[in-house]
Tab-separated table of all heavy atoms in Angstrom:
chain	number	residue	atom	x	y	z
A	1434	PHE	N	-165.573	-15.066	211.740
A	1434	PHE	CA	-166.872	-15.150	211.089
A	1434	PHE	C	-167.919	-15.542	212.117
A	1434	PHE	O	-167.819	-16.593	212.744
A	1434	PHE	CB	-166.826	-16.171	209.948
A	1434	PHE	CG	-168.144	-16.381	209.252
A	1434	PHE	CD1	-168.759	-15.340	208.569
A	1434	PHE	CD2	-168.768	-17.617	209.292
A	1434	PHE	CE1	-169.977	-15.534	207.930
A	1434	PHE	CE2	-169.979	-17.821	208.647
A	1434	PHE	CZ	-170.591	-16.765	207.968
A	1435	ARG	N	-168.874	-14.646	212.344
A	1435	ARG	CA	-169.957	-14.884	213.296
A	1435	ARG	C	-169.445	-15.348	214.663
A	1435	ARG	O	-169.832	-16.406	215.176
A	1435	ARG	CB	-170.964	-15.874	212.711
A	1435	ARG	CG	-171.703	-15.297	211.503
A	1435	ARG	CD	-172.668	-16.274	210.872
A	1435	ARG	NE	-173.352	-15.661	209.736
A	1435	ARG	CZ	-174.100	-16.311	208.855
A	1435	ARG	NH1	-174.254	-17.624	208.972
A	1435	ARG	NH2	-174.692	-15.675	207.861
A	1436	ASP	N	-168.529	-14.555	215.193
A	1436	ASP	CA	-167.979	-14.739	216.555
A	1436	ASP	C	-167.091	-15.968	216.720
A	1436	ASP	O	-166.704	-16.314	217.839
A	1436	ASP	CB	-169.113	-14.802	217.594
A	1436	ASP	CG	-169.907	-13.503	217.648
A	1436	ASP	OD1	-169.280	-12.426	217.487
A	1436	ASP	OD2	-171.135	-13.561	217.833
A	1437	LEU	N	-166.771	-16.639	215.625
A	1437	LEU	CA	-165.854	-17.770	215.689
A	1437	LEU	C	-164.562	-17.394	214.973
A	1437	LEU	O	-164.577	-16.681	213.959
A	1437	LEU	CB	-166.459	-19.008	215.021
A	1437	LEU	CG	-167.664	-19.641	215.712
A	1437	LEU	CD1	-168.275	-20.709	214.832
A	1437	LEU	CD2	-167.279	-20.227	217.055
A	1438	ASN	N	-163.443	-17.860	215.505
A	1438	ASN	CA	-162.133	-17.600	214.901
A	1438	ASN	C	-161.726	-18.787	214.034
A	1438	ASN	O	-161.701	-19.933	214.501
A	1438	ASN	CB	-161.091	-17.367	215.995
A	1438	ASN	CG	-161.376	-16.115	216.795
A	1438	ASN	OD1	-161.546	-15.030	216.240
A	1438	ASN	ND2	-161.458	-16.247	218.116
A	1439	TYR	N	-161.416	-18.507	212.784
A	1439	TYR	CA	-161.064	-19.558	211.824
A	1439	TYR	C	-159.605	-19.426	211.393
A	1439	TYR	O	-159.093	-18.322	211.215
A	1439	TYR	CB	-161.958	-19.459	210.585
A	1439	TYR	CG	-163.382	-19.893	210.827
A	1439	TYR	CD1	-164.308	-19.025	211.387
A	1439	TYR	CD2	-163.797	-21.184	210.497
A	1439	TYR	CE1	-165.625	-19.421	211.609
A	1439	TYR	CE2	-165.111	-21.588	210.710
A	1439	TYR	CZ	-166.013	-20.705	211.270
A	1439	TYR	OH	-167.316	-21.109	211.498
A	1440	THR	N	-158.977	-20.586	211.211
A	1440	THR	CA	-157.597	-20.633	210.707
A	1440	THR	C	-157.487	-21.726	209.652
A	1440	THR	O	-158.005	-22.833	209.836
A	1440	THR	CB	-156.596	-20.936	211.844
A	1440	THR	OG1	-156.689	-19.913	212.845
A	1440	THR	CG2	-155.161	-20.983	211.307
A	1441	ALA	N	-156.827	-21.389	208.549
A	1441	ALA	CA	-156.591	-22.380	207.492
A	1441	ALA	C	-155.105	-22.393	207.156
A	1441	ALA	O	-154.537	-21.367	206.786
A	1441	ALA	CB	-157.405	-22.043	206.250
A	1442	ILE	N	-154.486	-23.555	207.301
A	1442	ILE	CA	-153.082	-23.728	206.930
A	1442	ILE	C	-153.025	-24.754	205.804
A	1442	ILE	O	-153.492	-25.889	205.960
A	1442	ILE	CB	-152.232	-24.207	208.125
A	1442	ILE	CG1	-152.313	-23.188	209.267
A	1442	ILE	CG2	-150.774	-24.411	207.706
A	1442	ILE	CD1	-151.644	-23.654	210.551
A	1443	ARG	N	-152.495	-24.340	204.674
A	1443	ARG	CA	-152.396	-25.229	203.508
A	1443	ARG	C	-150.949	-25.262	203.034
A	1443	ARG	O	-150.338	-24.217	202.817
A	1443	ARG	CB	-153.315	-24.744	202.386
A	1443	ARG	CG	-154.785	-24.699	202.770
A	1443	ARG	CD	-155.628	-24.150	201.628
A	1443	ARG	NE	-157.057	-24.167	201.917
A	1443	ARG	CZ	-157.716	-23.163	202.486
A	1443	ARG	NH1	-157.075	-22.055	202.835
A	1443	ARG	NH2	-159.018	-23.261	202.707
A	1444	GLU	N	-150.416	-26.476	202.871
A	1444	GLU	CA	-149.034	-26.642	202.414
A	1444	GLU	C	-148.954	-27.823	201.452
A	1444	GLU	O	-149.027	-28.978	201.869
A	1444	GLU	CB	-148.094	-26.874	203.598
A	1444	GLU	CG	-147.947	-25.686	204.528
A	1444	GLU	CD	-146.923	-25.925	205.615
A	1444	GLU	OE1	-145.731	-25.656	205.371
A	1444	GLU	OE2	-147.305	-26.413	206.699
A	1445	ASN	N	-148.851	-27.510	200.169
A	1445	ASN	CA	-148.642	-28.533	199.135
A	1445	ASN	C	-149.607	-29.700	199.229
A	1445	ASN	O	-149.217	-30.873	199.182
A	1445	ASN	CB	-147.195	-29.046	199.201
A	1445	ASN	CG	-146.192	-27.940	198.943
A	1445	ASN	OD1	-146.337	-27.163	198.012
A	1445	ASN	ND2	-145.168	-27.866	199.794
A	1446	GLY	N	-150.892	-29.402	199.344
A	1446	GLY	CA	-151.902	-30.448	199.381
A	1446	GLY	C	-152.321	-30.869	200.773
A	1446	GLY	O	-153.399	-31.433	200.964
A	1447	LYS	N	-151.498	-30.601	201.764
A	1447	LYS	CA	-151.879	-30.882	203.152
A	1447	LYS	C	-152.628	-29.672	203.696
A	1447	LYS	O	-152.311	-28.534	203.363
A	1447	LYS	CB	-150.646	-31.166	204.014
A	1447	LYS	CG	-149.932	-32.459	203.655
A	1447	LYS	CD	-148.774	-32.716	204.614
A	1447	LYS	CE	-148.080	-34.028	204.291
A	1447	LYS	NZ	-146.949	-34.301	205.224
A	1448	PHE	N	-153.630	-29.924	204.530
A	1448	PHE	CA	-154.392	-28.805	205.067
A	1448	PHE	C	-154.786	-29.042	206.525
A	1448	PHE	O	-154.917	-30.181	206.985
A	1448	PHE	CB	-155.658	-28.556	204.235
A	1448	PHE	CG	-156.652	-29.703	204.258
A	1448	PHE	CD1	-157.583	-29.820	205.276
A	1448	PHE	CD2	-156.654	-30.657	203.250
A	1448	PHE	CE1	-158.509	-30.870	205.297
A	1448	PHE	CE2	-157.561	-31.702	203.248
A	1448	PHE	CZ	-158.488	-31.809	204.287
A	1449	GLU	N	-154.939	-27.947	207.237
A	1449	GLU	CA	-155.499	-27.954	208.580
A	1449	GLU	C	-156.477	-26.792	208.670
A	1449	GLU	O	-156.087	-25.628	208.651
A	1449	GLU	CB	-154.417	-27.801	209.651
A	1449	GLU	CG	-154.997	-27.787	211.067
A	1449	GLU	CD	-153.930	-27.626	212.143
A	1449	GLU	OE1	-153.031	-28.477	212.211
A	1449	GLU	OE2	-154.003	-26.627	212.888
A	1450	LEU	N	-157.759	-27.125	208.720
A	1450	LEU	CA	-158.816	-26.124	208.785
A	1450	LEU	C	-159.432	-26.172	210.174
A	1450	LEU	O	-159.862	-27.237	210.623
A	1450	LEU	CB	-159.896	-26.406	207.733
A	1450	LEU	CG	-159.408	-26.663	206.303
A	1450	LEU	CD1	-160.592	-26.986	205.394
A	1450	LEU	CD2	-158.641	-25.459	205.766
A	1451	SER	N	-159.474	-25.049	210.845
A	1451	SER	CA	-159.966	-25.069	212.219
A	1451	SER	C	-160.883	-23.890	212.517
A	1451	SER	O	-160.899	-22.889	211.794
A	1451	SER	CB	-158.794	-25.075	213.204
A	1451	SER	OG	-158.064	-23.864	213.123
A	1452	ARG	N	-161.640	-24.041	213.594
A	1452	ARG	CA	-162.419	-22.940	214.143
A	1452	ARG	C	-162.314	-23.023	215.662
A	1452	ARG	O	-162.140	-24.112	216.231
A	1452	ARG	CB	-163.874	-23.007	213.697
A	1452	ARG	CG	-164.670	-24.138	214.312
A	1452	ARG	CD	-166.121	-24.112	213.873
A	1452	ARG	NE	-166.901	-25.101	214.604
A	1452	ARG	CZ	-168.181	-25.382	214.377
A	1452	ARG	NH1	-168.817	-24.732	213.408
A	1452	ARG	NH2	-168.825	-26.290	215.076
A	1453	GLU	N	-162.440	-21.884	216.312
A	1453	GLU	CA	-162.160	-21.848	217.749
A	1453	GLU	C	-163.047	-20.814	218.434
A	1453	GLU	O	-163.262	-19.716	217.919
A	1453	GLU	CB	-160.689	-21.496	217.962
A	1453	GLU	CG	-160.161	-21.742	219.343
A	1453	GLU	CD	-158.647	-21.624	219.409
A	1453	GLU	OE1	-158.032	-21.397	218.337
A	1453	GLU	OE2	-158.091	-21.755	220.516
A	1454	ILE	N	-163.579	-21.180	219.583
A	1454	ILE	CA	-164.301	-20.244	220.423
A	1454	ILE	C	-164.107	-20.660	221.872
A	1454	ILE	O	-164.252	-21.832	222.233
A	1454	ILE	CB	-165.803	-20.190	220.063
A	1454	ILE	CG1	-166.505	-19.121	220.898
A	1454	ILE	CG2	-166.468	-21.537	220.201
A	1454	ILE	CD1	-167.919	-18.811	220.459
A	1455	ASP	N	-163.722	-19.679	222.689
A	1455	ASP	CA	-163.433	-19.947	224.108
A	1455	ASP	C	-162.422	-21.096	224.235
A	1455	ASP	O	-161.337	-21.002	223.686
A	1455	ASP	CB	-164.729	-20.257	224.867
A	1455	ASP	CG	-165.698	-19.073	224.848
A	1455	ASP	OD1	-165.218	-17.923	224.811
A	1455	ASP	OD2	-166.914	-19.305	224.842
A	1456	THR	N	-162.802	-22.181	224.892
A	1456	THR	CA	-161.850	-23.277	225.124
A	1456	THR	C	-162.032	-24.440	224.147
A	1456	THR	O	-161.395	-25.483	224.289
A	1456	THR	CB	-161.999	-23.818	226.565
A	1456	THR	OG1	-163.335	-24.304	226.755
A	1456	THR	CG2	-161.700	-22.714	227.580
A	1457	VAL	N	-162.913	-24.258	223.169
A	1457	VAL	CA	-163.212	-25.335	222.222
A	1457	VAL	C	-162.549	-25.050	220.879
A	1457	VAL	O	-162.688	-23.973	220.310
A	1457	VAL	CB	-164.730	-25.499	222.013
A	1457	VAL	CG1	-165.009	-26.614	221.011
A	1457	VAL	CG2	-165.425	-25.787	223.343
A	1458	LYS	N	-161.828	-26.048	220.363
A	1458	LYS	CA	-161.184	-25.923	219.060
A	1458	LYS	C	-161.509	-27.157	218.229
A	1458	LYS	O	-161.255	-28.285	218.644
A	1458	LYS	CB	-159.668	-25.789	219.209
A	1458	LYS	CG	-158.943	-25.583	217.881
A	1458	LYS	CD	-157.457	-25.338	218.079
A	1458	LYS	CE	-156.762	-25.064	216.743
A	1458	LYS	NZ	-155.314	-24.800	216.921
A	1459	ASP	N	-162.086	-26.932	217.055
A	1459	ASP	CA	-162.400	-28.005	216.120
A	1459	ASP	C	-161.398	-27.968	214.973
A	1459	ASP	O	-161.156	-26.903	214.392
A	1459	ASP	CB	-163.816	-27.833	215.569
A	1459	ASP	CG	-164.877	-27.936	216.662
A	1459	ASP	OD1	-164.701	-28.787	217.551
A	1459	ASP	OD2	-165.858	-27.171	216.616
A	1460	VAL	N	-160.836	-29.133	214.648
A	1460	VAL	CA	-159.758	-29.195	213.656
A	1460	VAL	C	-160.065	-30.262	212.607
A	1460	VAL	O	-160.335	-31.420	212.942
A	1460	VAL	CB	-158.400	-29.507	214.321
A	1460	VAL	CG1	-157.293	-29.521	213.267
A	1460	VAL	CG2	-158.086	-28.491	215.405
A	1461	LEU	N	-160.014	-29.849	211.332
A	1461	LEU	CA	-160.219	-30.765	210.214
A	1461	LEU	C	-158.947	-30.816	209.384
A	1461	LEU	O	-158.444	-29.790	208.935
A	1461	LEU	CB	-161.391	-30.279	209.354
A	1461	LEU	CG	-161.737	-31.101	208.113
A	1461	LEU	CD1	-162.184	-32.505	208.504
A	1461	LEU	CD2	-162.824	-30.397	207.300
A	1462	THR	N	-158.394	-32.017	209.195
A	1462	THR	CA	-157.168	-32.193	208.408
A	1462	THR	C	-157.388	-33.278	207.356
A	1462	THR	O	-158.473	-33.861	207.256
A	1462	THR	CB	-155.983	-32.600	209.297
A	1462	THR	OG1	-156.209	-33.941	209.788
A	1462	THR	CG2	-155.815	-31.649	210.473
């Protein structure tokens, strides 16, 4: 989305939502 790569992993209420560009990765859990 708008040149950023997004990943969402959800498992039984646990989540890891991230976005990534070049060498920077932001992670929300």
Side-chain angles (χ1 to χ4, degrees):
F1434 177 63
R1435 294 178 179 169
D1436 297 324
L1437 292 171
N1438 295 307
Y1439 288 82
T1440 300
I1442 301 173
R1443 300 177 176 91
E1444 293 185 87
N1445 299 314
K1447 293 184 178 180
F1448 64 85
E1449 179 180 301
L1450 311 178
S1451 66
R1452 70 178 187 185
E1453 194 169 357
I1454 184 170
D1455 298 329
T1456 60
V1457 179
K1458 183 175 183 179
D1459 297 321
V1460 182
L1461 179 63
T1462 69

